[in-house]
Amino acid sequence: EPEVTQTPSHQVTQMGQEVILRCVPISNHLYFYWYRQILGQKVEFLVSFYNNEISEKSEIFDDQFSVERPDGSNFTLKIRSTKLEDSAMYFCASSEGPRVYEQYFGPGTRLTVT
Amino acid sequence: SQQGEEDPQALSIQEGENATMNCSYKTSINNLQWYRQNSGRGLVHLILIRSNEREKHSGRLRVTLDTSKKSSSLLITASRAADTASYFCATVLRHRAGSYQLTFGKGTKLSVIP
């Protein structure tokens, strides 16, 4: 069964460093998402991406964040200058198309900023 | 904003018993979904119920929706140790261009004791 994959599974970085989190969505899906979950808190929406551009972003997704689909398979989240409060699980998700509301999530990347 | 809030926050039952989790939300919805998260893993879509449906079944899962009370419940019958996980309800906020975001509650942590 097709699945969303994410790498790395765990990333440790120092405050101020740039990190890139990678995702490979399901191949025939058209919509891509990033969510994050701070330990013990809710899963929060960060950004949605369609047709090679951001279609919506949350207040959390400030200028420090960017997303890219550099080729036909990868979808990346970059945090330019990490802060301690960026420590969280980051989940990538994809969905098939409009009016198909199920999202398929990857296993997540645990980001630890020290 | 639409929010799902589950109760109870934690539920511990014996294997074979039924588990019921509830979710309340604040605004009108197109559909409501339930997801499962095993510890430290990604979210897995379980079931979607549309706003014009009152009840839906999938295997040992039964979901109800009461739009007048803005609430939903998830029933897992004949629970197994493998059902141990956190369960989240999610509402959909649609964006332009067909994308949408899921808004999750804090979840119910279910422990099934063998």
Side-chain angles (χ1 to χ4, degrees):
Chain A
E1 189 174 327
E3 58 182 18
V4 177
T5 60
Q6 289 185 243
T7 53
S9 56
H10 191 189
Q11 173 93 46
V12 181
T13 189
Q14 289 192 324
M15 200 166 50
Q17 295 296 304
E18 174 184 287
V19 292
I20 297 176
L21 310 183
R22 292 184 164 78
C23 167
V24 179
I26 295 173
S27 61
N28 64 334
H29 285 189
L30 300 177
Y31 294 87
F32 314 115
Y33 308 86
W34 284 100
Y35 291 81
R36 81 171 184 192
Q37 185 179 31
I38 294 171
L39 188 63
Q41 297 189 25
K42 297 181 183 182
V43 176
E44 303 172 288
F45 168 78
L46 292 178
V47 66
S48 60
F49 191 87
Y50 168 69
N51 202 25
N52 281 321
E53 62 181 16
I54 291 173
S55 54
E56 195 73 29
K57 58 184 180 179
S58 71
E59 291 175 352
I60 303 167
F61 195 88
D62 62 22
D63 291 346
Q64 292 299 311
F65 292 87
S66 62
V67 288
E68 197 177 35
R69 189 155 163 81
D71 53 44
S73 58
N74 290 284
F75 179 50
T76 62
L77 174 69
K78 183 194 289 188
I79 309 174
R80 248 179 285 282
S81 178
T82 50
K83 305 176 190 133
L84 293 175
E85 54 265 37
D86 293 328
S87 294
M89 280 287 281
Y90 287 82
F91 295 106
C92 173
S94 66
S95 63
E96 213 172 297
R99 293 182 299 281
V100 179
Y101 293 107
E102 294 88 341
Q103 291 189 6
Y104 293 81
F105 284 77
T109 292
R110 180 170 296 285
L111 177 65
T112 302
V113 183
T114 61
Chain B
S1 62
Q2 296 172 334
Q3 281 189 331
E5 296 293 343
E6 297 88 347
D7 79 86
Q9 288 188 335
L11 180 61
S12 186
I13 58 173
Q14 294 289 132
E15 204 166 26
E17 293 181 340
N18 296 340
T20 300
M21 289 158 270
N22 303 297
C23 166
S24 61
Y25 57 92
K26 293 182 180 174
T27 60
S28 62
I29 58 168
N30 174 276
N31 66 75
L32 184 141
Q33 303 176 43
W34 285 89
Y35 285 78
R36 183 178 103 169
Q37 184 182 33
N38 286 67
S39 180
R41 305 291 298 276
L43 294 123
V44 175
H45 179 266
L46 293 176
I47 195 164
L48 178 152
I49 186 164
R50 299 189 189 280
S51 58
N52 61 353
E53 296 175 310
R54 291 295 164 256
E55 189 170 307
K56 198 159 181 183
H57 296 255
S58 176
R60 294 185 295 113
L61 305 180
R62 174 180 166 247
V63 169
T64 62
L65 180 65
D66 186 336
T67 52
S68 66
K69 293 181 180 175
K70 292 187 167 59
S71 66
S72 173
S73 68
L74 171 67
L75 168 69
I76 304 174
T77 59
S79 63
R80 303 167 183 166
D83 295 328
T84 294
S86 290
Y87 292 82
F88 299 86
C89 68
T91 54
V92 169
L93 178 64
R94 282 192 284 194
H95 306 146
R96 21 182 203 96
S99 73
Y100 61 95
Q101 71 189 70
L102 297 175
T103 302
F104 291 90
K106 280 189 176 178
T108 292
K109 193 167 185 177
L110 174 67
S111 299
V112 181
I113 303 162

mmCIF file of all heavy atoms in Angstrom, chain B residues 10-39:
data_model
loop_
_atom_site.group_PDB
_atom_site.id
_atom_site.type_symbol
_atom_site.label_atom_id
_atom_site.label_comp_id
_atom_site.label_asym_id
_atom_site.label_seq_id
_atom_site.Cartn_x
_atom_site.Cartn_y
_atom_site.Cartn_z
ATOM 1 N N ALA B 10 -8.138 10.589 28.828
ATOM 2 C CA ALA B 10 -7.502 9.273 28.922
ATOM 3 C C ALA B 10 -8.562 8.257 29.309
ATOM 4 O O ALA B 10 -9.497 8.552 30.058
ATOM 5 C CB ALA B 10 -6.376 9.290 29.948
ATOM 6 N N LEU B 11 -8.402 7.050 28.777
ATOM 7 C CA LEU B 11 -9.379 5.983 29.008
ATOM 8 C C LEU B 11 -8.626 4.667 29.097
ATOM 9 O O LEU B 11 -7.831 4.348 28.207
ATOM 10 C CB LEU B 11 -10.372 5.954 27.845
ATOM 11 C CG LEU B 11 -11.490 4.927 27.850
ATOM 12 C CD1 LEU B 11 -12.388 5.132 29.062
ATOM 13 C CD2 LEU B 11 -12.305 5.033 26.567
ATOM 14 N N SER B 12 -8.879 3.941 30.165
ATOM 15 C CA SER B 12 -8.219 2.656 30.349
ATOM 16 C C SER B 12 -9.277 1.580 30.498
ATOM 17 O O SER B 12 -10.163 1.698 31.356
ATOM 18 C CB SER B 12 -7.329 2.717 31.596
ATOM 19 O OG SER B 12 -6.579 1.536 31.728
ATOM 20 N N ILE B 13 -9.207 0.548 29.650
ATOM 21 C CA ILE B 13 -10.226 -0.506 29.690
ATOM 22 C C ILE B 13 -9.556 -1.870 29.563
ATOM 23 O O ILE B 13 -8.387 -1.975 29.174
ATOM 24 C CB ILE B 13 -11.254 -0.341 28.548
ATOM 25 C CG1 ILE B 13 -10.564 -0.363 27.181
ATOM 26 C CG2 ILE B 13 -12.067 0.932 28.725
ATOM 27 C CD1 ILE B 13 -11.520 -0.375 26.010
ATOM 28 N N GLN B 14 -10.324 -2.908 29.861
ATOM 29 C CA GLN B 14 -9.850 -4.279 29.698
ATOM 30 C C GLN B 14 -10.104 -4.737 28.266
ATOM 31 O O GLN B 14 -11.088 -4.321 27.623
ATOM 32 C CB GLN B 14 -10.584 -5.222 30.652
ATOM 33 C CG GLN B 14 -10.308 -4.965 32.134
ATOM 34 C CD GLN B 14 -8.904 -5.373 32.533
ATOM 35 O OE1 GLN B 14 -8.205 -4.611 33.181
ATOM 36 N NE2 GLN B 14 -8.495 -6.563 32.158
ATOM 37 N N GLU B 15 -9.239 -5.597 27.799
ATOM 38 C CA GLU B 15 -9.427 -6.184 26.472
ATOM 39 C C GLU B 15 -10.800 -6.831 26.389
ATOM 40 O O GLU B 15 -11.238 -7.501 27.333
ATOM 41 C CB GLU B 15 -8.340 -7.232 26.228
ATOM 42 C CG GLU B 15 -8.055 -7.500 24.774
ATOM 43 C CD GLU B 15 -6.761 -8.276 24.568
ATOM 44 O OE1 GLU B 15 -6.360 -9.006 25.487
ATOM 45 O OE2 GLU B 15 -6.155 -8.131 23.508
ATOM 46 N N GLY B 16 -11.466 -6.611 25.255
ATOM 47 C CA GLY B 16 -12.801 -7.167 25.080
ATOM 48 C C GLY B 16 -13.908 -6.178 25.381
ATOM 49 O O GLY B 16 -15.028 -6.332 24.894
ATOM 50 N N GLU B 17 -13.613 -5.162 26.183
ATOM 51 C CA GLU B 17 -14.616 -4.142 26.491
ATOM 52 C C GLU B 17 -14.733 -3.172 25.316
ATOM 53 O O GLU B 17 -13.877 -3.111 24.437
ATOM 54 C CB GLU B 17 -14.239 -3.382 27.766
ATOM 55 C CG GLU B 17 -14.297 -4.227 29.013
ATOM 56 C CD GLU B 17 -13.934 -3.433 30.264
ATOM 57 O OE1 GLU B 17 -13.293 -2.378 30.148
ATOM 58 O OE2 GLU B 17 -14.300 -3.897 31.363
ATOM 59 N N ASN B 18 -15.812 -2.394 25.362
ATOM 60 C CA ASN B 18 -15.993 -1.341 24.354
ATOM 61 C C ASN B 18 -15.412 -0.034 24.857
ATOM 62 O O ASN B 18 -15.417 0.235 26.065
ATOM 63 C CB ASN B 18 -17.479 -1.139 24.053
ATOM 64 C CG ASN B 18 -18.111 -2.360 23.429
ATOM 65 O OD1 ASN B 18 -17.431 -3.230 22.876
ATOM 66 N ND2 ASN B 18 -19.434 -2.435 23.515
ATOM 67 N N ALA B 19 -14.904 0.776 23.937
ATOM 68 C CA ALA B 19 -14.355 2.090 24.282
ATOM 69 C C ALA B 19 -15.132 3.155 23.537
ATOM 70 O O ALA B 19 -15.317 3.052 22.319
ATOM 71 C CB ALA B 19 -12.882 2.165 23.907
ATOM 72 N N THR B 20 -15.567 4.157 24.267
ATOM 73 C CA THR B 20 -16.291 5.269 23.640
ATOM 74 C C THR B 20 -15.550 6.566 23.892
ATOM 75 O O THR B 20 -15.215 6.892 25.031
ATOM 76 C CB THR B 20 -17.722 5.384 24.199
ATOM 77 O OG1 THR B 20 -18.430 4.172 23.927
ATOM 78 C CG2 THR B 20 -18.463 6.542 23.528
ATOM 79 N N MET B 21 -15.309 7.290 22.821
ATOM 80 C CA MET B 21 -14.650 8.588 22.910
ATOM 81 C C MET B 21 -15.554 9.623 22.265
ATOM 82 O O MET B 21 -16.208 9.328 21.268
ATOM 83 C CB MET B 21 -13.310 8.545 22.183
ATOM 84 C CG MET B 21 -12.286 7.714 22.911
ATOM 85 S SD MET B 21 -10.970 7.122 21.833
ATOM 86 C CE MET B 21 -11.651 5.571 21.303
ATOM 87 N N ASN B 22 -15.571 10.807 22.841
ATOM 88 C CA ASN B 22 -16.449 11.862 22.355
ATOM 89 C C ASN B 22 -15.656 13.047 21.851
ATOM 90 O O ASN B 22 -14.520 13.279 22.263
ATOM 91 C CB ASN B 22 -17.368 12.328 23.483
ATOM 92 C CG ASN B 22 -18.180 11.190 24.044
ATOM 93 O OD1 ASN B 22 -18.984 10.585 23.348
ATOM 94 N ND2 ASN B 22 -17.943 10.855 25.309
ATOM 95 N N CYS B 23 -16.278 13.780 20.963
ATOM 96 C CA CYS B 23 -15.638 14.951 20.365
ATOM 97 C C CYS B 23 -16.684 16.043 20.225
ATOM 98 O O CYS B 23 -17.821 15.775 19.807
ATOM 99 C CB CYS B 23 -15.086 14.552 18.997
ATOM 100 S SG CYS B 23 -14.607 15.907 17.928
ATOM 101 N N SER B 24 -16.317 17.255 20.591
ATOM 102 C CA SER B 24 -17.205 18.390 20.346
ATOM 103 C C SER B 24 -16.482 19.410 19.483
ATOM 104 O O SER B 24 -15.253 19.502 19.519
ATOM 105 C CB SER B 24 -17.643 19.028 21.671
ATOM 106 O OG SER B 24 -16.519 19.497 22.382
ATOM 107 N N TYR B 25 -17.232 20.136 18.710
ATOM 108 C CA TYR B 25 -16.645 21.146 17.851
ATOM 109 C C TYR B 25 -17.504 22.391 17.876
ATOM 110 O O TYR B 25 -18.611 22.371 18.428
ATOM 111 C CB TYR B 25 -16.476 20.611 16.427
ATOM 112 C CG TYR B 25 -17.746 20.120 15.785
ATOM 113 C CD1 TYR B 25 -18.534 20.968 15.019
ATOM 114 C CD2 TYR B 25 -18.179 18.801 15.954
ATOM 115 C CE1 TYR B 25 -19.706 20.521 14.443
ATOM 116 C CE2 TYR B 25 -19.349 18.357 15.389
ATOM 117 C CZ TYR B 25 -20.109 19.211 14.630
ATOM 118 O OH TYR B 25 -21.277 18.766 14.074
ATOM 119 N N LYS B 26 -16.990 23.473 17.274
ATOM 120 C CA LYS B 26 -17.648 24.762 17.518
ATOM 121 C C LYS B 26 -18.422 25.322 16.332
ATOM 122 O O LYS B 26 -19.393 26.040 16.518
ATOM 123 C CB LYS B 26 -16.603 25.783 17.978
ATOM 124 C CG LYS B 26 -16.027 25.436 19.332
ATOM 125 C CD LYS B 26 -15.031 26.474 19.813
ATOM 126 C CE LYS B 26 -14.484 26.063 21.167
ATOM 127 N NZ LYS B 26 -13.410 26.961 21.638
ATOM 128 N N THR B 27 -17.977 25.050 15.120
ATOM 129 C CA THR B 27 -18.650 25.678 13.982
ATOM 130 C C THR B 27 -19.244 24.629 13.054
ATOM 131 O O THR B 27 -19.063 23.433 13.264
ATOM 132 C CB THR B 27 -17.672 26.565 13.201
ATOM 133 O OG1 THR B 27 -16.589 25.748 12.736
ATOM 134 C CG2 THR B 27 -17.101 27.660 14.095
ATOM 135 N N SER B 28 -19.935 25.069 12.023
ATOM 136 C CA SER B 28 -20.546 24.103 11.106
ATOM 137 C C SER B 28 -19.459 23.367 10.325
ATOM 138 O O SER B 28 -18.374 23.897 10.105
ATOM 139 C CB SER B 28 -21.498 24.820 10.149
ATOM 140 O OG SER B 28 -20.783 25.738 9.371
ATOM 141 N N ILE B 29 -19.757 22.143 9.953
ATOM 142 C CA ILE B 29 -18.758 21.302 9.303
ATOM 143 C C ILE B 29 -19.306 20.696 8.027
ATOM 144 O O ILE B 29 -20.510 20.560 7.849
ATOM 145 C CB ILE B 29 -18.289 20.157 10.236
ATOM 146 C CG1 ILE B 29 -19.486 19.303 10.674
ATOM 147 C CG2 ILE B 29 -17.527 20.703 11.441
ATOM 148 C CD1 ILE B 29 -19.103 18.016 11.351
ATOM 149 N N ASN B 30 -18.400 20.322 7.149
ATOM 150 C CA ASN B 30 -18.735 19.531 5.969
ATOM 151 C C ASN B 30 -18.605 18.055 6.292
ATOM 152 O O ASN B 30 -19.395 17.223 5.838
ATOM 153 C CB ASN B 30 -17.802 19.927 4.825
ATOM 154 C CG ASN B 30 -17.981 19.070 3.604
ATOM 155 O OD1 ASN B 30 -17.396 17.989 3.520
ATOM 156 N ND2 ASN B 30 -18.791 19.526 2.661
ATOM 157 N N ASN B 31 -17.577 17.750 7.076
ATOM 158 C CA ASN B 31 -17.385 16.374 7.518
ATOM 159 C C ASN B 31 -16.514 16.377 8.765
ATOM 160 O O ASN B 31 -15.901 17.393 9.102
ATOM 161 C CB ASN B 31 -16.747 15.510 6.417
ATOM 162 C CG ASN B 31 -15.337 15.941 6.087
ATOM 163 O OD1 ASN B 31 -14.406 15.687 6.857
ATOM 164 N ND2 ASN B 31 -15.152 16.603 4.947
ATOM 165 N N LEU B 32 -16.475 15.262 9.433
ATOM 166 C CA LEU B 32 -15.636 15.110 10.610
ATOM 167 C C LEU B 32 -14.898 13.782 10.458
ATOM 168 O O LEU B 32 -15.472 12.799 9.961
ATOM 169 C CB LEU B 32 -16.489 15.133 11.886
ATOM 170 C CG LEU B 32 -15.734 15.080 13.210
ATOM 171 C CD1 LEU B 32 -16.396 16.003 14.237
ATOM 172 C CD2 LEU B 32 -15.643 13.675 13.744
ATOM 173 N N GLN B 33 -13.656 13.774 10.862
ATOM 174 C CA GLN B 33 -12.851 12.573 10.688
ATOM 175 C C GLN B 33 -12.257 12.149 12.033
ATOM 176 O O GLN B 33 -12.072 12.974 12.928
ATOM 177 C CB GLN B 33 -11.705 12.855 9.704
ATOM 178 C CG GLN B 33 -12.187 13.355 8.355
ATOM 179 C CD GLN B 33 -11.045 13.711 7.426
ATOM 180 O OE1 GLN B 33 -10.058 12.978 7.331
ATOM 181 N NE2 GLN B 33 -11.168 14.829 6.721
ATOM 182 N N TRP B 34 -11.950 10.880 12.128
ATOM 183 C CA TRP B 34 -11.236 10.346 13.283
ATOM 184 C C TRP B 34 -9.911 9.756 12.810
ATOM 185 O O TRP B 34 -9.856 9.063 11.775
ATOM 186 C CB TRP B 34 -12.079 9.287 13.993
ATOM 187 C CG TRP B 34 -13.199 9.867 14.801
ATOM 188 C CD1 TRP B 34 -14.473 10.154 14.378
ATOM 189 C CD2 TRP B 34 -13.156 10.241 16.181
ATOM 190 N NE1 TRP B 34 -15.209 10.685 15.409
ATOM 191 C CE2 TRP B 34 -14.436 10.745 16.523
ATOM 192 C CE3 TRP B 34 -12.170 10.197 17.177
ATOM 193 C CZ2 TRP B 34 -14.740 11.201 17.821
ATOM 194 C CZ3 TRP B 34 -12.474 10.642 18.450
ATOM 195 C CH2 TRP B 34 -13.755 11.139 18.761
ATOM 196 N N TYR B 35 -8.873 10.045 13.585
ATOM 197 C CA TYR B 35 -7.539 9.551 13.292
ATOM 198 C C TYR B 35 -6.997 8.843 14.526
ATOM 199 O O TYR B 35 -7.374 9.151 15.659
ATOM 200 C CB TYR B 35 -6.586 10.695 12.920
ATOM 201 C CG TYR B 35 -6.789 11.251 11.534
ATOM 202 C CD1 TYR B 35 -7.837 12.135 11.279
ATOM 203 C CD2 TYR B 35 -5.946 10.895 10.490
ATOM 204 C CE1 TYR B 35 -8.026 12.653 10.004
ATOM 205 C CE2 TYR B 35 -6.123 11.407 9.212
ATOM 206 C CZ TYR B 35 -7.169 12.288 8.979
ATOM 207 O OH TYR B 35 -7.358 12.801 7.715
ATOM 208 N N ARG B 36 -6.063 7.953 14.278
ATOM 209 C CA ARG B 36 -5.397 7.248 15.367
ATOM 210 C C ARG B 36 -3.897 7.529 15.285
ATOM 211 O O ARG B 36 -3.346 7.658 14.182
ATOM 212 C CB ARG B 36 -5.637 5.754 15.228
ATOM 213 C CG ARG B 36 -5.061 4.923 16.318
ATOM 214 C CD ARG B 36 -5.403 3.490 16.109
ATOM 215 N NE ARG B 36 -4.260 2.783 15.579
ATOM 216 C CZ ARG B 36 -4.189 1.470 15.480
ATOM 217 N NH1 ARG B 36 -5.221 0.723 15.825
ATOM 218 N NH2 ARG B 36 -3.112 0.905 15.009
ATOM 219 N N GLN B 37 -3.260 7.629 16.437
ATOM 220 C CA GLN B 37 -1.825 7.847 16.490
ATOM 221 C C GLN B 37 -1.232 6.903 17.512
ATOM 222 O O GLN B 37 -1.512 7.032 18.709
ATOM 223 C CB GLN B 37 -1.492 9.296 16.842
ATOM 224 C CG GLN B 37 -0.001 9.598 16.812
ATOM 225 C CD GLN B 37 0.315 11.024 17.208
ATOM 226 O OE1 GLN B 37 -0.357 11.625 18.035
ATOM 227 N NE2 GLN B 37 1.348 11.592 16.602
ATOM 228 N N ASN B 38 -0.420 5.982 17.032
ATOM 229 C CA ASN B 38 0.345 5.157 17.959
ATOM 230 C C ASN B 38 1.499 5.997 18.495
ATOM 231 O O ASN B 38 1.964 6.922 17.829
ATOM 232 C CB ASN B 38 0.865 3.899 17.264
ATOM 233 C CG ASN B 38 -0.243 2.904 17.026
ATOM 234 O OD1 ASN B 38 -1.143 3.146 16.235
ATOM 235 N ND2 ASN B 38 -0.217 1.805 17.750
ATOM 236 N N SER B 39 1.971 5.669 19.660
ATOM 237 C CA SER B 39 2.968 6.488 20.352
ATOM 238 C C SER B 39 4.159 6.792 19.459
ATOM 239 O O SER B 39 4.816 5.893 18.947
ATOM 240 C CB SER B 39 3.413 5.744 21.621
ATOM 241 O OG SER B 39 4.366 6.520 22.306
#
